[in-house]
Amino acid sequence: MQRKLPIVVIAGQGNAISPSKLPHVYNVLDWFHVTDVWAEKSGPKKVINWRVRLEKIKIIEKSWWAVKGSPASPQESTAGSQKADVGTCTDCGTSSKVKYNAGWACLEPGCDSFFKFKNEHNDTTLDYDDKYMKERTSYGGLDPGSLSPPLPTDQDASDMEAYGFEKALKRGIVCPKCNCCSRRIVWDHWYCENSDCDFTYTLKQRPISPDDVIVKAMEYFETNKRPTSKQSMLGEMDKEFAIGGVLRTHKIHGPWNINEYAIPDEAGKIIGFVRHFKSNGIINQQKDGPNDLFEQMQTGGFALRRSPARQAGAVGEILTSHFAANFGAPYKFSVKQVSRGFDQAPEVIFKTIKRLSWAGQVAVGNEHKPFQSFNECLAIGYFEGSVINYHDDGEKTLGPTVATLSLGAPARMMFRPKAKSAIGKLVAKARTTKPPVLQITLSHGDIVVMDGEKIQKLYEVSHAAYQDWNISSVLTVKQHAVTPWGFRYALTCRQIIGEKMDTEEERQAAFLEGTLPPGSDKYNYTGDLGATEVVQPTSEVDKINNEIAARMMTGSLTASQISLLKDKLEGLLACNHTGSQQTIMDLSRDIAMPDTH
Ligand SMILES: O=C(O)CCC(=O)C(=O)O
Ligand SMILES: [Fe+2]
């Protein structure tokens, strides 16, 4: 009160003293200021409760929650026009306002006369005095400005050098049309969550290269790490481990490095593998390789969206931190995803499926029976700061092999035994969790294949055995979590077993939507065996820069000629001259024959 701070009041839907029925679960009323704070002795136990009286700062303006048809401006709006009566305590000498209909009482908790009224009263008659209620107090603090934050503009995004996936842009907005607070639910725009309002808002998202995304990820890491931490992102990326009986071996397959982690059950028997295919510059830069896929993901229009992670539709609904879209056979993944059949999938999804099918085949081979091809692909997008917490991919309709392609910023992936499994020990302080046994770093282009060995055999034995083992082998025993260090995509392919679906309709959908179109074979991936570095052809601009550099070294151009040429070159590049090819050629000639000018 003394600091004259403006306060926002939010009223719940069930608020009984609101003059009108409040429309939302949480209703942001307006800016208020505190006019009085006092102690009261009330309730059955006659304990001291502190009371606060607030007045709306812009009381002259009609409140949005006012009863329909009420006057545009409340009558009692002028400060000082109404004054509460004041009484003084004969015991302690303090004065206070007459606040209650029951009359005046001393409001000094330390005084013997505290809360003693002349007349008998009970708590139910302790209504507030009308004069006190109508008192108006001038507000001496600063104008708090608009209650709703302004919409971020393209200019704001450009000022913060944003690409459109920054943490600040994942915040919700206040609809300028109807004032409804709306969350960022879809990847590329906001829409008003009030079903009666049609407001949508889009902020341009600029494509970013894999190199720049890593630079941004490092900046994000530096600005968001604990102030006491000396770690760099590169240092964190090196912190990989396999403990608790998880065994690591290493293989080379063409240009791929593959770390293989054998996952034991409680008896130490190997029940599955996590295979980490580590990509590199050569793989990443091939045609339709991870660099191209990263670009295509950004321009593909995937309608990635956040789904309710908890209490869908309820007051406490919580959305997933990441955005997702499913293609192929419908897949539930804890919560139902919006799913589109492969007939509606963009090309990049087929390229991904073929790449991951290759990895699945290499990882699983024909050890037990031929590798079952994938019929589903879940695309996940992470804004800066988004994560996927510990979960398992253990749907009963799921085949044993799950493969994920990482694109963009690096990420930490962790596996831990479930608390209820007999593997590992519970964390002493948090008795419901176990520490991770496997931690790996997923970089741009990497692939992870999770596979439950011998599951095929057990799966065929009986349904009960399947339920026990299912991925009681890898996936349900080993929960996993992924924390990306910046803007990232993860594309995960699974085998959805249509026959295990509950209804005929679901079985049909899995079959129809999960069948790859015949033309998709043209995207087959064969592992980049024998691939070499792709040498980028030198551009005209590079050639000129090289010429300038060479002539600088031989001294055949004067310093002023060099700076003139550099200026010209920069000018051409800056205006992105469409005819620049020809002009640059002329410029090149200028350099070749400097003496003729
Ligand atoms: O982001 C990732 O790499 C993994 C995503 C994942 O765990 C999933 O889709 O189930
Ligand atoms: Fe997962």
Side-chain angles (χ1 to χ4, degrees):
M1 185 165 80
Q2 267 122 26
R3 290 171 59 196
K4 301 188 172 67
L5 287 181
I7 286 173
V8 174
V9 175
I10 301 172
Q13 196 154 40
N15 187 299
I17 56 169
S18 167
S20 61
K21 184 170 163 18
L22 295 171
H24 307 293
V25 177
Y26 302 109
N27 301 272
V28 180
L29 298 186
D30 210 329
W31 289 111
F32 286 73
H33 66 115
V34 178
T35 63
D36 302 82
V37 180
W38 74 98
E40 165 181 303
K41 204 194 279 180
S42 53
K45 292 197 174 143
K46 297 282 171 241
V47 289
I48 292 184
N49 289 308
W50 287 91
R51 298 274 165 201
V52 176
R53 180 179 179 276
L54 299 156
E55 272 180 42
K56 203 173 88 176
I57 292 179
K58 291 197 175 143
I59 200 142
I60 197 87
E61 286 171 10
K62 186 170 178 179
S63 306
W64 68 259
W65 64 92
V67 178
K68 263 199 188 128
S70 57
S73 150
Q75 285 157 358
E76 325 78 18
S77 56
T78 339
S81 60
Q82 299 257 7
K83 276 244 154 254
D85 295 330
V86 174
T88 305
C89 179
T90 46
D91 271 354
C92 68
T94 47
S95 300
S96 54
K97 295 175 190 169
V98 176
K99 295 198 164 81
Y100 304 98
N101 275 334
W104 182 88
C106 175
L107 299 178
E108 192 54 48
C111 175
D112 284 347
S113 303
F114 172 63
F115 226 65
K116 287 186 183 146
F117 290 81
K118 265 206 194 110
N119 305 322
E120 272 300 298
H121 80 278
N122 59 34
D123 282 356
T124 48
T125 59
L126 208 54
D127 293 338
Y128 292 111
D129 176 79
D130 199 42
K131 256 177 148 176
Y132 176 58
M133 291 297 272
K134 287 185 176 157
E135 190 176 76
R136 293 295 171 255
T137 322
S138 62
Y139 166 66
L142 296 174
D143 182 353
S146 168
L147 195 56
S148 39
L151 295 175
T153 61
D154 283 328
Q155 186 58 47
D156 296 335
S158 139
D159 290 348
M160 61 188 257
E161 294 179 21
Y163 286 85
F165 50 77
E166 286 71 11
K167 196 173 182 175
L169 301 177
K170 205 175 144 197
R171 281 195 212 122
I173 55 163
V174 177
C175 172
K177 251 174 127 173
C178 74
N179 281 327
C180 175
C181 299
S182 301
R183 298 165 293 181
R184 177 80 185 240
I185 297 178
V186 282
W187 181 258
D188 56 3
H189 67 273
W190 288 265
Y191 66 86
C192 180
E193 288 194 59
N194 170 3
S195 51
D196 296 332
C197 180
D198 59 2
F199 180 75
T200 61
Y201 190 66
T202 309
L203 209 57
K204 263 197 242 113
Q205 284 175 318
R206 286 191 290 147
I208 186 168
S209 72
D211 289 345
D212 288 346
V213 104
I214 293 167
V215 172
K216 277 218 50 156
M218 287 191 194
E219 284 168 11
Y220 182 80
F221 186 93
E222 284 305 314
T223 42
N224 289 282
K225 70 181 184 186
R226 276 194 301 274
T228 49
S229 167
K230 290 196 175 58
Q231 270 314 325
S232 67
M233 188 179 89
L234 294 176
E236 280 295 313
M237 285 172 69
D238 278 345
K239 285 190 194 159
E240 296 200 326
F241 61 76
I243 52 172
V246 177
L247 293 176
R248 176 184 176 276
T249 46
H250 173 250
K251 278 187 188 144
I252 290 181
H253 190 97
W256 289 92
N257 267 293
I258 308 173
N259 285 335
E260 188 171 275
Y261 300 95
I263 312 289
D265 66 5
E266 45 272 66
K269 195 167 95 187
I270 304 303
I271 51 162
F273 288 93
V274 171
R275 290 180 174 96
H276 180 191
F277 290 58
K278 286 169 96 83
S279 189
N280 54 46
I282 292 184
I283 297 167
N284 288 347
Q285 60 171 323
Q286 300 300 316
K287 183 176 178 306
D288 283 342
N291 291 358
D292 285 354
L293 298 179
F294 186 56
E295 189 190 325
Q296 290 160 22
M297 281 301 295
Q298 292 179 71
T299 46
F302 285 86
L304 298 173
R305 60 186 296 134
R306 297 164 73 193
S307 304
R310 258 191 283 146
Q311 302 183 34
V315 176
E317 180 185 90
I318 308 258
L319 298 179
T320 57
S321 165
H322 59 268
F323 299 75
N326 195 69
F327 294 95
Y331 171 54
K332 276 211 195 104
F333 185 61
S334 318
V335 284
K336 196 159 167 44
Q337 302 286 332
V338 181
S339 190
R340 275 160 281 172
F342 279 147
D343 54 333
Q344 292 174 52
E347 277 187 338
V348 56
I349 295 294
F350 301 126
K351 293 175 190 170
T352 302
I353 294 173
K354 295 298 184 181
R355 178 167 284 261
L356 290 176
S357 299
W358 166 84
Q361 176 68 47
V362 170
V364 180
N366 293 328
E367 254 174 78
H368 314 292
K369 66 180 201 178
F371 165 73
Q372 263 177 279
S373 42
F374 295 123
N375 60 354
E376 180 266 356
C377 183
L378 179 73
I380 288 188
Y382 299 89
F383 268 40
E384 273 176 356
S386 293
V387 297
I388 191 162
N389 285 324
Y390 275 108
H391 67 283
D392 62 62
D393 294 359
E395 285 269 308
K396 78 171 196 305
T397 52
L398 212 59
T401 314
V402 176
T404 301
L405 170 68
S406 290
L407 298 173
R412 165 167 292 165
M413 183 174 210
M414 293 187 292
F415 293 78
R416 71 179 183 195
K418 276 193 166 179
K420 64 179 181 211
S421 76
I423 312 166
K425 286 203 173 76
L426 289 165
V427 177
K429 280 189 192 147
R431 304 239 19 114
T432 51
T433 58
K434 288 181 175 166
V437 291
L438 175 60
Q439 175 168 302
I440 54 179
T441 298
L442 309 179
S443 296
H444 174 62
D446 286 5
I447 294 173
V448 169
V449 182
M450 295 188 271
D451 180 65
E453 203 185 42
K454 294 197 181 136
I455 290 170
Q456 308 285 358
K457 193 169 139 229
L458 288 160
Y459 169 77
E460 277 173 346
V461 175
S462 75
H463 190 65
Y466 169 78
Q467 281 201 327
D468 282 341
W469 279 81
N470 173 8
I471 304 232
S472 286
S473 335
V474 180
L475 304 180
T476 51
V477 172
K478 304 290 171 199
Q479 294 178 304
H480 53 280
V482 178
T483 310
W485 281 301
F487 170 40
R488 173 174 180 266
Y489 293 108
L491 292 119
T492 301
C493 284
R494 298 172 178 84
Q495 299 145 344
I496 310 286
I497 306 165
E499 299 82 61
K500 292 200 136 291
M501 296 284 189
D502 291 336
T503 65
E504 182 54 33
E505 199 187 329
E506 285 176 320
R507 283 191 281 276
Q508 280 288 327
F511 176 72
L512 289 175
E513 291 170 30
T515 303
L516 284 170
S520 61
D521 277 354
K522 66 170 181 272
Y523 302 116
N524 278 355
Y525 177 69
T526 50
D528 291 321
L529 300 174
T532 50
E533 204 166 335
V534 179
V535 181
Q536 299 295 340
T538 322
S539 71
E540 287 303 318
V541 178
D542 289 341
K543 276 189 202 157
I544 294 176
N545 269 324
N546 288 347
E547 288 224 37
I548 295 177
R551 280 160 205 283
M552 266 164 77
M553 281 187 253
T554 58
S556 60
L557 275 179
T558 64
S560 60
Q561 283 172 316
I562 291 169
S563 82
L564 193 76
L565 287 170
K566 284 198 164 165
D567 284 352
K568 272 194 188 176
L569 192 59
E570 262 174 30
L572 285 172
L573 290 175
C575 60
N576 196 12
H577 209 291
T578 40
S580 60
Q581 204 74 338
Q582 189 52 46
T583 335
I584 286 174
M585 295 301 286
D586 298 344
L587 202 67
S588 206
R589 266 198 305 278
D590 287 355
I591 306 170
M593 296 175 285
D595 294 334
T596 59
H597 291 267

